[in-house]
Amino acid sequence: RFERRTSCSGGMRSIQLSYRRAPESSSYQWDVAPYPWMRYGSIPVFGATLFSWSWFGRPVQWNGLRWAWSILRLAEVDDSYPWRAIAAGVTISAMYQQSTDAKDQCLWPDSIYTLNAEKSSWLFAPYQILKNVYEFLGYAAEPRIERVKLAEGSDGMASIAGCGRIDSARAEGGRLAFRFTTPPPLASRVLVIGVDRPVNVSLDGGPLPARESPPDEKTAGWNYDANSATLVIAPGRPGPAEIALAPARPHPCRLLVERAERIDFQFGESMKGWRLEHDLSDPAVRDGVLTLKVTGGDPYMTRGNCVIAAGPLGRVRVRMAVERADGTGNDMAQFYWATEQKPGFGESRVVVMPIQADGRMHDVDFAVGAHPLWRDARVTAIRLDPVNASGAVVRIDSIQGLP
């Protein structure tokens, strides 16, 4: 739609033309019998690109699907236009474009030609289509986030995030409460970020048990991660869940772990920025000792955001106890590092040491100083593989760099 505006100034008359395009003009509004995908087929550009290839009459539906996803979000806060109906039309057009051939079942093309239905050789998996379909069915394909001010006159904010509907969020009397809903049959979890560890968490008015590790979707409970100031809550079932926590005090959230300039990790009340990456679970810190369970044959944990001059260090000492499930007493531990020049972990930068897996505390000294790729390195991340035996229990007292 074009609008014409005129104005007069000092006897001179100017005319200004501005173009306002209705949302549906970014797609075709008609179809012909053989080509039902034409209606709401997405126009990618108005014109041609690369000076040789014309895009006239060639819907490119991935453009439209991304736009449809955005207007589905807009529909949640604006009812001035039928955004959901338009998003549904764009999504249905994409579904009509999906292949029914056995070889390319459910795949859809980068573009399709309105004159003869010729499809581009570039084919996509149906993720973008399903993402919108799940939204129409009531499932959240991406987390929703609500922010709540924890106290009047305070800058403290809590963020509630989860793949479900979050509403009725409120903070009053030192308590944070909200409703979290996921449609059956899928259960999910919800995060409360930027809060201190609560004393009590309740579900539908009853106490929710604390767990030593983050609960999965089917296990009712909660777990608190002090490193990121994040509370993980699992109702353990789908449907509406009334959740409350108290006291609700703000706590700075650290998504990036604190920078480490030394290898000196004493596990007082947290994991000190270490992350369980593979075949390790159930982390718990008690009396200054980090306890882990090995769930597979290749367990390792990493510590990023390091800026460590390797030269002065000749050893990395890990004081730990390892108890194998089969009762045998020998195994191997590995220590890896990444550098500014080589940011990933690799077999060229590792030291391997034998360990006694007898359940008692031992000092394991990794002789990193003797390794040629350690001496002049600037270390950016480190990794510990404490044992190679599934089912083992590992207790780590400290990790220190020594001369």
Side-chain angles (χ1 to χ4, degrees):
R1 181 172 75 197
F2 284 96
E3 292 184 344
R4 175 173 172 168
R5 300 178 183 177
T6 63
S7 62
C8 295
S9 177
M12 301 291 290
R13 185 177 186 183
S14 65
I15 298 177
Q16 179 182 2
L17 292 177
S18 62
Y19 175 67
R20 296 180 60 195
R21 192 179 74 218
E24 66 269 29
S25 67
S26 61
S27 61
Y28 295 98
Q29 294 301 294
W30 70 95
D31 58 60
V32 294
Y35 305 154
W37 43 263
M38 274 186 61
R39 188 178 297 268
Y40 288 101
S42 301
I43 298 171
V45 289
F46 290 95
T49 57
L50 300 178
F51 303 101
S52 59
W53 180 262
S54 173
W55 286 101
F56 289 122
R58 293 184 182 272
V60 177
Q61 208 62 17
W62 62 264
N63 283 335
L65 287 170
R66 292 185 179 184
W67 177 71
W69 171 257
S70 298
I71 65 173
L72 281 173
R73 305 281 69 71
L74 179 60
E76 296 175 2
V77 296
D78 177 54
D79 59 1
S80 65
Y81 205 81
W83 302 114
R84 285 181 63 87
I86 297 169
V90 171
T91 304
I92 291 169
S93 172
M95 295 172 77
Y96 274 125
Q97 294 179 38
Q98 288 181 278
S99 175
T100 57
D101 296 339
K103 179 174 67 72
D104 298 324
Q105 190 104 28
C106 295
L107 303 183
W108 54 289
D110 176 78
S111 65
I112 189 168
Y113 196 23
T114 54
L115 295 188
N116 58 13
E118 179 187 20
K119 294 183 179 181
S120 164
S121 59
W122 288 85
L123 300 176
F124 301 135
Y127 167 73
Q128 279 190 267
I129 298 173
L130 291 173
K131 187 177 177 181
N132 289 355
V133 170
Y134 289 146
E135 285 291 325
F136 286 113
L137 294 176
Y139 300 101
E142 291 184 354
R144 299 288 194 274
I145 299 176
E146 293 286 337
R147 301 197 71 206
V148 182
K149 195 169 188 177
L150 291 178
E152 289 296 329
S154 168
D155 294 331
M157 300 287 291
S159 297
I160 306 170
C163 288
R165 181 177 176 181
I166 302 167
D167 53 22
S168 303
R170 60 209 180 273
E172 50 193 18
R175 178 174 176 268
L176 174 63
F178 59 94
R179 182 185 299 114
F180 180 61
T181 306
T182 56
L186 299 180
S188 188
R189 297 179 292 180
V190 62
L191 308 181
V192 182
I193 306 166
V195 295
D196 206 349
R197 181 186 180 92
V199 176
N200 300 303
V201 179
S202 67
L203 172 66
D204 297 332
L208 193 64
R211 305 291 183 185
E212 292 185 358
S213 59
D216 59 29
E217 292 84 353
K218 298 179 181 179
T219 303
W222 63 274
N223 174 265
Y224 183 75
D225 179 47
N227 285 329
S228 60
T230 298
L231 181 68
V232 182
I233 303 172
R237 52 162 177 76
E242 298 288 343
I243 296 170
L245 57 113
R249 297 184 295 257
H251 191 285
C253 174
R254 287 184 178 271
L255 295 181
L256 181 65
V257 297
E258 185 177 359
R259 189 165 89 163
E261 298 181 351
R262 297 184 302 162
I263 301 179
D264 187 10
F265 300 99
Q266 310 283 337
F267 299 100
E269 297 180 352
S270 72
M271 292 177 60
K272 300 299 182 181
W274 284 84
R275 298 188 184 278
L276 309 186
E277 299 286 358
H278 197 256
D279 287 349
L280 289 170
S281 68
D282 300 341
V285 178
R286 298 190 191 91
D287 301 324
V289 175
L290 172 62
T291 301
L292 308 168
K293 183 177 180 180
V294 180
T295 59
D298 186 24
Y300 57 87
M301 53 192 280
T302 64
R303 192 4 167 126
N305 199 23
C306 298
V307 183
I308 300 169
L313 303 178
R315 296 169 292 161
V316 173
R317 173 172 290 175
V318 179
R319 181 164 180 77
M320 66 179 180
V322 177
E323 184 174 0
R324 289 177 55 121
D326 58 13
T328 58
N330 297 315
D331 214 301
M332 304 297 290
Q334 298 166 291
F335 181 83
Y336 292 80
W337 62 94
T339 68
E340 289 181 339
Q341 293 75 25
K342 299 287 186 179
F345 297 110
E347 297 303 320
S348 63
R349 296 179 304 284
V350 61
V351 174
V352 182
M353 291 295 295
I355 61 171
Q356 292 178 279
D358 55 10
R360 295 195 294 268
M361 280 288 175
H362 297 278
D363 291 334
V364 182
D365 284 354
F366 294 92
V368 292
H371 197 291
L373 298 181
W374 173 269
R375 297 169 190 162
D376 299 320
R378 191 171 178 85
V379 175
T380 56
I382 53 180
R383 165 181 153 177
L384 175 65
D385 298 28
V387 66
N388 292 322
S390 181
V393 175
V394 178
R395 295 184 296 123
I396 303 176
D397 178 78
S398 61
I399 302 174
Q400 293 179 296
L402 302 173

